[in-house]
Amino acid sequence: MADFDTLRIRAGYDSSEHNYSVNVPIYQTAAFDLGSTDRADRIWTLEDDSAIYSRVGNPTVAVLEQRITQLSGAYGALALSSGMAAISYTILALTEYGGNIVAANSLYGGSEDSFSHFFPRFGANIKFVKDRFDPAAYEKEIDENTRGIYIESISNPNAEIYDIEELAKIAHKHAIPLIVDNTVATPYLLDPISYGADIVIYSATKALGGHGNVIGGIIVDSGHFRYSKSKFPQFYEVSYKLKDIKGNRRSPADVDEISPFLVHLRAFYLEFIGAALSPFDAYLILQGLDTISERVSKQSQNAEKIARFLEESGFVSWVNYPTAKSAKNKELAEKYLTKGFGGILSFGFEGTDEELNDFIQHLNYYSYHVNIGDVRSLIVNCARTTHAEMDASHLKRAGIAENTVRISAGLESADDLIFDLRSAFSKVAGLREIKLSGADLNDLDEIANLEITNFSAEKAASKAAFEYRLKNFPEWFITAKYEGEIIGLINAAPTDRDYITDDVYLSGGYYNKDGKSLFVYGLEVHPDFRHKGIADKLIRTLINKAKEAGKTRIALTCSEKLIPFYQAHGLQYNGISKSVIGDEASYDMSIDLK
Amino acid sequence: MSYKFDTVKVRGGYNAKEHNNSVGVPVYATAAFDFDGFDHFNNIRAGAQLGFLYSRVGNPTVAALEARVAQLDGGTAALAFASGMAALSNTLLAVTGGKGRILSTKQIYGGTFDLENDVFPSIGIEFDLIDHDSSIEEWAALIKEDTKAIFVESISNPSARLLDIEALAELAHKNGIPLVVDNTFATPYLFRPFEHGADIIIYSATKALNGHGNAIGGIVVEGKPFNWTEEKFPQFYKKHWVARDLDNNPRSFIEAFPQFPFTALLRTKYLAYFGASLSPYDAQLILIGIETLSERVSKQVANARKIVKYLDSRSDVVTWISYPEHKDSKYKALAEKYFPKGTGTVLTFGFKGNDDQINKLINSIQLFGFQANVGDARSLLINSPKTTHGELTPEELEAAQIKPDTIRLSLGLEDAEDLIADLDQAFAKAFEE
Ligand SMILES: Cc1ncc(COP(=O)(O)O)c(C=O)c1O
Ligand SMILES: Cc1ncc(COP(=O)(O)O)c(C=O)c1O
């Protein structure tokens, strides 16, 4: 058998069967011509495995299934429209007629919630173990109705490792399969089957596909497990649907004694509950697989560097990564993960919710969203997003602290990723020293001084102008103070106008205390305090305050280089402004508040 | 202002301004969506702001399809799935909440039939199947304490039988249960079930809705919210943490989404955890297909009528014709009442030949495709009893009133004369020595 790196590019595809197309064609079709009635009979009785109808089989999807099978050293695979479909079909098919599954008590949030609250409605009960690190704890939960043990090989989000080999032994002792969700590890880092796992599940949405452009899932059967008739009678029930060419009814086990599980899944679950993967999406996943080794090894390196940095940074309360100082089962990580430890890590953010929000906003090279395994680095506050299905008690049981932040490392430069984190942490830390407050006439001198420090004489607002504003609408001043001294400020006027054009600006009298809009005169920060996130904080605070006061719009004019800054805060670019103060082109920006 | 059907089919559910002014609906081939900040996430999650979190449970391309079909049917909301079977099975699971009975007919689509036999009973859902042509009293007699819905096809597959939908809706409502209609064969162009009392509509979008035979997909449409009572349908009243409001108070689906509680339940639990999500790429193909729905289906109906006329003239080889508009059909009155634009693009007929001659007929066909689909722009022909309904045992076939000599035609957009010529030559070859 060829090596992994060859298989991931070539396995399961013979171009001579597809008009010599070098790339796998996208068979974007619902149905396939049956040819002759003889051929139709053979296909319907599974003598010929050609595709009939894409819900249950499609050549593009079949290449993906074959490729994963070979990459996994397995017997067969079934591709589905999502990782959750792969998980739910596996659990339901194994537990038909009232079985249960013994599962680790820290799993991906969707698995957690569906295992706890949803699948039991359909007769699949899940028994969560008390101590997921202790193999004996799994054995203790096994009873006569148990139909499998379920774990994640590298858990999401805490990157925990469990003893697959030991758990496989326990499962086999009780004649049940070990099911491993290998999504985070991918077949590149870990081959669970070689350690005794029987069924492997992937969300192909994650590092398997790797580009964050598709939702998909795969179930892999090692072919080693013998599903007994006593525990799995569903695989031995004869059905007319599985008849042979002579019309005799057969059971899934009659059709394929090695994997009646996959026959059952395809013939009943995929066929009737219908979570079919689109051929287009199968193609995207195949394309992703071409680079899986390079991607996942680089992502592992990046994650490990980030974990090191975080541990030494002093900014965080803990770091979870298979090689982190506090990681449990480090020896197991070394044993199972010889090519890298995966792209996922999590850490405890030290600070308030608001600071965590600021922190995420300050990052430039991490997207804030719920996926993992993408070529782009991603960050998310788990307890309130990906694992938000879980209430407080479940979170506690799964070891997910309220302040958990998960990172999925992408393929960017590790230096940039670390620099980005460092500067966001510094901004949050720096901001702790900064207090926001209002202003009144007593602050006039300090405010006028700040203005002169920041602007040339012809652009700076006069002291008289500030005096006027402080007298008439002090509530729209927000100042930032360091050790009691004003080092930044934003101020605005309530008005009914769309913009304050130069003529009214100079003449005054445009403001209306009850005006529905705010016009921002200026946002400024002392040069020694720039790039610390103070300006972000000022504009954000003003926007929130305006919303609370029931204002419907904020407008301002700014120089060209500040357009992206305001856009990042939700303001829209509306073109060149009529204002010519200071002889430099300026631009109108605004945001509608709802 | 509500637009008319043909306007909705090309424009409904999509506002180019929200998509960088793109005229065609973009394919959002993405798994996840960025958030502007935690509030942004939280608002979307709680339904306080429109937006998308993760494509398994919601995607802008798929959302355009859902909104368009909801408008075409005059529904309040819709939810797309990876296949028609996923739409169907998830709907029936959600209506029963995992326990209870469904009342349906013996003459429905083979796959659905098998779902009832092989899959659902093992998870606690039972079916009562009634003969299609039963009287309303006979239907009523089969409604039991724990019956949770009546499920029917507006035009049945393969034999194109019709039902008195209004009478069934009335019966269902009298018993506090919804009427679920599989409207796949009719499409909203020929029939709009909500106007006749249906509560939930299901489509295999693989068929005439898309019409190009190039994507597998399904859609569930919710009408004016059905009056789900707490005692029969507690799943709508249970408070769920996932449906919590902005202040983290758990809510029930009825509380959180009063305009479309069924769609919300289906999306948040069934789509999320059974995971049969539609690919955005396939959603775009189906959207493009819908843009020609009226033109396609009306031409296909015209072709079906011409073929029926031709088959009528071939009593030498054709023993019977099942098409509701046909002069011998017992569904003529229902056809006139419910299907003024035509009764669909599928018809069956009996072929006067032995098994060998049926095989010869099929193997001689040149223009019709021999495959297991319907509603395609290309005409298709198949011997249903041995293929699409091959899951059924001979006894079940008899109960479903599918005769062994049945040939099913799905008419496409070709020139009718070419189709007739093809049948003509194949009939001739079937009887050659
Ligand atoms: C470990 C793990 N398994 C399964 C899933 C579910 O996969 P999908 O989102 O493709 O349905 C996810 C993520 O969503 C996951 O992180
Ligand atoms: C009437 C009807 N409903 C549902 C389905 C299932 O749809 P799909 O094949 O898209 O899963 C079909 C056909 O397959 C059908 O003909």
Side-chain angles (χ1 to χ4, degrees):
Chain A
M1 173 92 102
D3 286 339
F4 187 92
D5 277 353
T6 305
L7 294 174
R8 52 120 188 212
I9 289 176
R10 297 193 167 271
Y13 183 65
D14 176 354
S15 71
S16 71
E17 295 169 359
H18 303 268
N19 284 316
Y20 296 92
S21 170
V22 172
N23 261 297
V24 180
I26 300 171
Y27 283 87
Q28 195 67 45
T29 183
F32 296 81
D33 282 332
L34 295 169
S36 67
T37 45
D38 275 353
R39 186 169 174 275
D41 283 346
R42 286 199 307 276
I43 296 179
W44 243 274
T45 52
L46 309 171
E47 297 248 311
D48 176 333
D49 64 1
S50 301
I52 308 173
Y53 188 68
S54 287
R55 184 184 344 109
V56 279
N58 172 285
T60 314
V61 178
V63 174
L64 173 64
E65 290 169 343
Q66 256 309 308
R67 193 161 291 178
I68 295 290
T69 299
Q70 295 191 31
L71 283 181
S72 312
Y75 177 72
L78 181 72
L80 296 168
S81 63
S82 68
M84 271 322 295
I87 292 172
S88 58
Y89 284 18
T90 299
I91 300 288
L92 292 179
L94 292 177
T95 59
E96 275 179 33
Y97 304 111
N100 67 58
I101 298 283
V102 170
N105 60 348
S106 180
L107 299 170
Y108 156 65
S111 300
E112 269 276 344
D113 189 43
S114 57
F115 284 20
S116 305
H117 303 300
F118 192 61
F119 298 156
R121 273 197 231 165
F122 307 101
N125 290 307
I126 314 292
K127 298 168 86 174
F128 288 102
V129 298
K130 301 279 179 316
D131 177 2
R132 59 188 172 275
F133 293 101
D134 177 14
Y138 293 79
E139 186 155 27
K140 211 185 295 157
E141 298 295 336
I142 294 175
D143 62 34
E144 66 200 34
N145 293 321
T146 301
R147 298 290 179 263
I149 294 179
Y150 185 97
I151 59 167
E152 290 173 3
S153 54
I154 301 179
S155 76
N156 175 5
N158 284 338
E160 295 168 353
I161 312 285
Y162 316 115
D163 197 340
I164 299 175
E165 217 163 12
E166 273 310 305
L167 291 171
K169 280 187 199 143
I170 291 171
H172 298 158
K173 187 168 130 199
H174 294 272
I176 55 174
L178 174 66
I179 307 143
V180 175
D181 180 339
N182 200 36
T183 297
V184 175
T186 80
Y188 171 72
L189 292 181
L190 176 65
D191 171 11
I193 290 172
S194 66
Y195 296 102
D198 304 292
I199 297 169
V200 180
I201 289 174
Y202 291 100
S203 163
T205 316
K206 318 297 179 194
L208 203 69
H211 292 271
N213 54 3
V214 64
I215 302 277
I218 299 173
I219 302 170
V220 184
D221 187 341
S222 73
H224 301 320
F225 185 74
R226 298 276 77 90
Y227 299 88
S228 70
K229 198 165 177 172
S230 58
K231 283 203 185 326
F232 302 96
Q234 63 270 37
F235 301 152
Y236 294 86
E237 264 165 41
V238 295
S239 149
Y240 193 72
K241 184 169 191 311
L242 296 172
K243 63 186 176 293
D244 68 13
I245 196 130
K246 299 200 194 79
N248 300 315
R249 294 160 206 237
R250 288 184 298 177
S251 70
D254 293 334
V255 173
D256 184 350
E257 60 175 352
I258 298 178
S259 183
F261 174 62
L262 288 177
V263 174
H264 191 74
L265 284 176
R266 193 183 291 278
F268 299 106
Y269 285 79
L270 179 54
E271 170 101 283
F272 298 131
I273 315 191
L277 181 67
S278 161
F280 182 74
D281 290 352
Y283 176 86
L284 292 178
I285 298 167
L286 281 165
Q287 185 182 16
L289 276 174
D290 283 349
T291 59
I292 188 169
S293 310
E294 291 74 13
R295 280 189 289 106
V296 176
S297 74
K298 168 93 183 272
Q299 285 171 324
S300 296
Q301 289 162 21
N302 278 356
E304 199 163 359
K305 286 180 191 164
I306 291 168
R308 288 278 161 286
F309 158 75
L310 288 171
E311 281 190 320
E312 286 154 19
S313 70
F315 290 121
V316 306
S317 44
W318 47 265
V319 177
N320 280 329
Y321 191 66
T323 56
K325 288 189 194 109
S326 61
K328 289 194 185 150
N329 285 348
K330 253 191 272 204
E331 340 62 62
L332 290 179
E334 301 285 348
K335 170 176 167 181
Y336 291 125
L337 301 169
T338 53
K339 291 198 251 178
F341 299 95
I344 304 296
L345 63 122
S346 60
F347 65 86
F349 181 84
E350 280 203 344
T352 62
D353 273 2
E354 196 192 344
E355 285 173 344
L356 175 54
N357 201 26
D358 283 354
F359 170 76
I360 290 174
Q361 297 295 305
H362 290 318
L363 292 167
N364 293 313
Y365 301 137
Y366 294 82
S367 307
Y368 177 35
H369 69 232
V370 297
N371 202 14
I372 55 172
D374 195 326
V375 294
R376 285 154 286 263
S377 292
L378 318 172
I379 196 159
V380 85
N381 47 334
C382 290
R384 301 179 62 184
T385 54
T386 51
H387 288 65
E389 293 94 339
M390 295 154 68
D391 58 25
S393 67
H394 278 83
L395 283 171
K396 183 147 180 253
R397 186 180 76 189
I400 298 169
E402 270 291 329
N403 66 346
T404 300
V405 176
R406 182 186 70 197
I407 285 179
S408 166
L411 300 181
E412 300 91 341
S413 142
D415 290 346
D416 284 343
L417 292 175
I418 289 173
F419 174 83
D420 202 24
L421 287 171
R422 190 197 305 279
S423 63
F425 278 123
S426 316
K427 281 178 184 168
V428 169
L431 281 174
R432 280 187 196 136
E433 313 291 317
I434 305 294
K435 300 276 172 283
L436 297 195
S437 55
D440 58 30
L441 278 170
N442 295 325
D443 298 317
L444 181 57
D445 284 344
E446 252 188 82
I447 287 173
N449 277 340
L450 181 65
E451 180 84 359
I452 290 167
T453 316
N454 279 330
F455 296 103
S456 61
E458 77 262 29
K459 281 180 84 178
S462 67
K463 196 164 171 175
F466 278 118
E467 187 172 355
Y468 174 81
R469 300 175 200 169
L470 281 166
K471 265 190 189 142
N472 288 293
F473 36 90
E475 68 275 23
W476 295 109
F477 268 80
I478 302 169
T479 59
K481 290 186 180 162
Y482 176 71
E483 297 187 341
E485 203 174 309
I486 295 178
I487 50 90
L489 122 102
I490 189 166
N491 73 118
T495 176
D496 284 321
R497 295 172 188 261
D498 277 352
Y499 288 94
I500 311 280
T501 45
D502 290 352
D503 48 332
V504 275
Y505 192 69
L506 298 173
S507 66
Y510 43 81
Y511 93 92
N512 167 6
K513 234 180 164 43
D514 302 318
K516 279 284 168 212
S517 295
L518 284 183
F519 182 78
V520 179
Y521 293 116
L523 166 59
E524 56 183 297
V525 175
H526 189 281
D528 295 347
F529 290 85
R530 298 215 180 128
H531 310 297
K532 295 184 191 303
I534 297 172
D536 293 286
K537 187 124 191 143
L538 285 166
I539 181 83
R540 211 155 46 229
T541 308
L542 182 80
I543 291 172
N544 285 339
K545 197 168 167 202
K547 278 186 195 159
E548 272 161 31
K551 302 291 180 204
T552 57
R553 173 185 159 94
I554 294 179
L556 53 82
T557 65
C558 69
S559 65
E560 189 175 351
K561 68 177 200 296
L562 284 173
I563 293 172
F565 168 83
Y566 287 113
Q567 279 175 332
H569 287 280
L571 279 83
Q572 254 184 15
Y573 168 76
N574 299 327
I576 293 197
S577 164
K578 293 200 191 81
S579 170
V580 292
I581 288 182
D583 255 10
E584 195 188 313
S586 58
Y587 299 84
D588 287 336
M589 313 265 317
S590 69
I591 179 172
D592 289 326
L593 310 172
K594 263 162 242 135
Chain B
M1 140 131 210
S2 74
Y3 290 104
K4 301 221 162 41
F5 191 89
D6 278 348
T7 306
V8 172
K9 84 183 193 304
V10 293
R11 294 186 174 274
Y14 180 69
N15 180 357
K17 285 205 196 73
E18 295 164 2
H19 304 269
N20 283 317
N21 300 312
S22 169
V23 174
V25 181
V27 178
Y28 282 86
T30 185
F33 299 83
D34 283 336
F35 308 129
D36 269 348
F38 181 69
D39 285 350
H40 183 209
F41 167 84
N42 212 26
N43 285 339
I44 296 173
R45 177 197 63 65
Q49 180 178 353
L50 283 179
F52 301 91
L53 304 174
Y54 188 66
S55 287
R56 183 181 350 107
V57 283
N59 171 285
T61 314
V62 178
L65 171 64
E66 290 165 345
R68 187 168 296 177
V69 175
Q71 287 179 30
L72 286 176
D73 262 318
T76 52
L79 189 63
F81 284 92
S83 67
M85 282 314 293
L88 217 150
S89 56
N90 281 280
T91 295
L92 298 184
L93 289 171
V95 167
T96 54
K99 256 198 258 11
R101 317 184 71 83
I102 303 275
L103 177 54
S104 190
T105 81
K106 291 177 188 158
Q107 286 86 16
I108 49 177
Y109 165 60
T112 313
F113 191 86
D114 219 50
L115 187 67
E116 300 166 359
N117 271 328
D118 278 340
V119 181
F120 277 10
S122 77
I123 50 185
I125 300 169
E126 298 288 336
F127 282 80
D128 296 302
L129 298 182
I130 190 172
D131 193 69
H132 188 97
D133 299 318
S134 304
S135 71
I136 206 73
E137 292 74 29
E138 288 167 312
W139 279 85
L142 272 187
I143 296 183
K144 303 180 184 166
E145 186 99 21
D146 58 345
T147 300
K148 301 288 177 68
I150 295 180
F151 170 67
V152 296
E153 292 171 351
S154 53
I155 302 178
S156 79
N157 178 2
S159 304
R161 296 167 201 278
L162 306 183
L163 285 160
D164 191 348
I165 297 284
E166 284 174 10
L168 285 175
E170 198 189 330
L171 175 67
H173 297 162
K174 234 180 11 213
N175 287 279
I177 58 176
L179 175 66
V180 181
V181 174
D182 181 337
N183 200 37
T184 298
F185 273 31
T187 82
Y189 173 71
L190 294 179
F191 184 58
R192 309 211 321 154
F194 293 144
E195 291 171 0
H196 305 282
D199 303 289
I200 294 167
I201 302 174
I202 288 167
Y203 292 101
S204 164
T206 317
K207 319 293 179 195
L209 198 65
N210 170 13
H212 293 270
N214 56 4
I216 301 279
I219 299 175
V220 179
V221 194
E222 180 171 7
K224 263 195 333 292
F226 176 73
N227 180 21
W228 308 100
T229 57
E230 184 159 7
E231 54 158 343
K232 246 199 174 56
F233 303 99
Q235 65 267 43
F236 293 99
Y237 292 86
K238 197 175 155 226
K239 291 194 190 286
H240 291 278
W241 174 248
V242 283
R244 68 199 180 283
D245 67 13
L246 286 172
D247 300 322
N248 287 339
N249 302 309
R251 289 181 297 183
S252 72
F253 288 107
I254 288 269
E255 276 175 296
F257 305 97
Q259 308 89 341
F260 44 84
F262 185 71
T263 307
L265 170 72
L266 211 52
R267 189 188 293 280
T268 318
K269 290 286 183 186
Y270 290 80
L271 183 58
Y273 296 145
F274 288 147
S277 42
L278 182 67
S279 160
Y281 181 72
D282 291 349
Q284 197 213 35
L285 292 177
I286 298 167
L287 276 163
I288 294 169
I290 289 174
E291 292 178 356
T292 57
L293 180 63
S294 313
E295 292 74 12
R296 276 189 290 108
V297 175
S298 60
K299 167 85 188 277
Q300 287 170 307
V301 165
N303 275 354
R305 287 172 177 159
K306 286 181 192 160
I307 298 292
V308 166
K309 213 156 138 204
Y310 162 73
L311 291 173
D312 252 343
S313 75
R314 293 300 309 265
S315 54
D316 55 328
V317 292
V318 172
T319 49
W320 52 267
I321 298 169
S322 178
Y323 189 64
E325 290 178 355
H326 186 257
K327 60 180 179 355
D328 299 339
S329 173
K330 53 184 153 186
Y331 304 113
K332 261 181 92 79
L334 289 171
E336 269 162 37
K337 172 169 180 192
Y338 289 114
F339 293 87
K341 288 195 222 153
T343 52
T345 64
V346 175
L347 62 97
T348 50
F349 66 89
F351 177 64
K352 191 189 279 180
N354 57 28
D355 272 4
D356 254 5
Q357 285 158 336
I358 291 186
N359 288 351
K360 256 194 186 154
L361 168 75
I362 289 170
N363 295 336
S364 309
I365 278 288
Q366 288 167 359
L367 191 51
F368 283 85
F370 173 37
Q371 41 161 287
N373 197 16
V374 294
D376 195 328
R378 286 155 288 255
S379 294
L380 315 173
L381 171 152
I382 201 162
N383 48 337
S384 294
K386 296 185 97 171
T387 54
T388 52
H389 289 63
E391 298 93 316
L392 276 59
T393 63
E395 307 83 68
E396 285 164 350
L397 279 174
E398 200 184 317
Q401 295 171 18
I402 298 173
K403 300 195 186 109
D405 62 349
T406 301
I407 303 285
R408 183 181 77 188
L409 299 183
S410 165
L411 283 314
L413 300 177
E414 301 92 339
D415 190 290
E417 284 180 28
D418 288 339
L419 294 171
I420 290 169
D422 193 30
L423 287 172
D424 231 20
Q425 63 84 22
F427 284 147
K429 287 212 182 99
F431 293 102
E432 267 172 22
E433 285 308 312

